């Protein structure tokens, strides 16, 4: 790596560090444990996992779990792109270390998709999205 490339790369790393620090400061001021928005995010994170634990078809748990993991990965990639390009953002988060909404990406959206998929399997329905 030449000197110019190294200095530009070091500047980018420094900017990332400053951005992370500012994001954590913002969370501490506006989205911490004392706010109701924080607790809504916690509910969005925990409640769907409790629901899926009790309602998942145990015989199809591997199939449904893999489907949910697939939805989680795709949704996280799309969400990361949207946040990184400034298309959308999350002013209130449960975990300030991630730029995306952790509760939506790993719990709420995948569980909703898993429950809909389980319903379609159990009722032999085909949902066509156009």
């Amino acid at each position: 790596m030449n000197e110019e490339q190294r200095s530009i790369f070091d500047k980018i790393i420094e900017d990332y560090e400053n951005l992370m620090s500012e994001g954590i400061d913002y969370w501490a001021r506006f989205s911490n444990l004392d706010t109701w928005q924080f607790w809504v995010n916690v509910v969005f994170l925990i409640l769907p996992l409790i629901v899926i634990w009790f309602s998942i078809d145990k015989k199809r748990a591997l199939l449904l779990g893999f489907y949910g993991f697939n939805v989680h990965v795709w949704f996280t990639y799309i969400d990361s792109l949207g946040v990184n390009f400034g298309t959308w953002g999350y002013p209130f988060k449960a975990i300030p270390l991630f730029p995306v909404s952790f509760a939506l990406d790993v719990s709420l959206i995948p569980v909703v998709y898993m429950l809909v998929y389980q319903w379609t399997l159990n009722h032999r329905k085909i949902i066509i999205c156009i």
Side-chain angles (χ1 to χ4, degrees):
M1 190 179 318
N2 64 30
E3 190 62 35
E4 179 187 11
Q5 182 181 2
R6 183 65 167 169
S7 68
I8 292 172
F9 182 75
D10 289 342
K11 174 74 168 99
I12 291 171
I13 296 300
E14 182 181 333
D15 290 345
Y16 275 134
E17 290 172 354
N18 291 336
L19 183 62
M20 178 62 82
S21 177
E22 288 178 19
I24 291 172
D25 290 342
Y26 172 85
W27 180 86
R29 289 185 63 202
F30 300 109
S31 183
N32 59 30
L33 292 137
D34 297 335
T35 62
W36 65 269
Q37 293 94 340
F38 170 82
W39 291 107
V40 168
N41 275 295
V42 169
V43 168
F44 282 169
L45 180 63
I46 304 243
L47 187 63
L49 298 175
I50 294 169
V51 168
I52 199 69
W53 178 263
F54 289 109
S55 62
I56 194 167
D57 182 358
K58 306 295 189 242
K59 294 177 185 172
R60 294 184 174 147
L62 185 62
L63 173 71
L64 295 167
F66 182 74
Y67 179 74
F69 177 72
N70 194 13
V71 169
H72 151 69
V73 169
W74 280 103
F75 194 82
T76 302
Y77 286 160
I78 293 167
D79 200 14
S80 295
L81 286 172
V83 169
N84 287 336
F85 281 111
T87 308
W88 59 78
Y90 300 99
F92 303 104
K93 301 177 188 177
I95 302 173
L97 302 175
F98 303 113
V100 297
S101 175
F102 192 74
L104 290 177
D105 291 352
V106 303
S107 184
L108 185 65
I109 301 299
V111 167
V112 168
Y113 272 80
M114 288 168 68
L115 291 173
V116 169
Y117 184 47
Q118 178 174 286
W119 182 86
T120 60
L121 289 174
N122 290 340
H123 292 88
R124 299 184 188 272
K125 301 283 184 186
I126 298 175
I127 296 177
I128 299 174
C129 298
I130 297 176

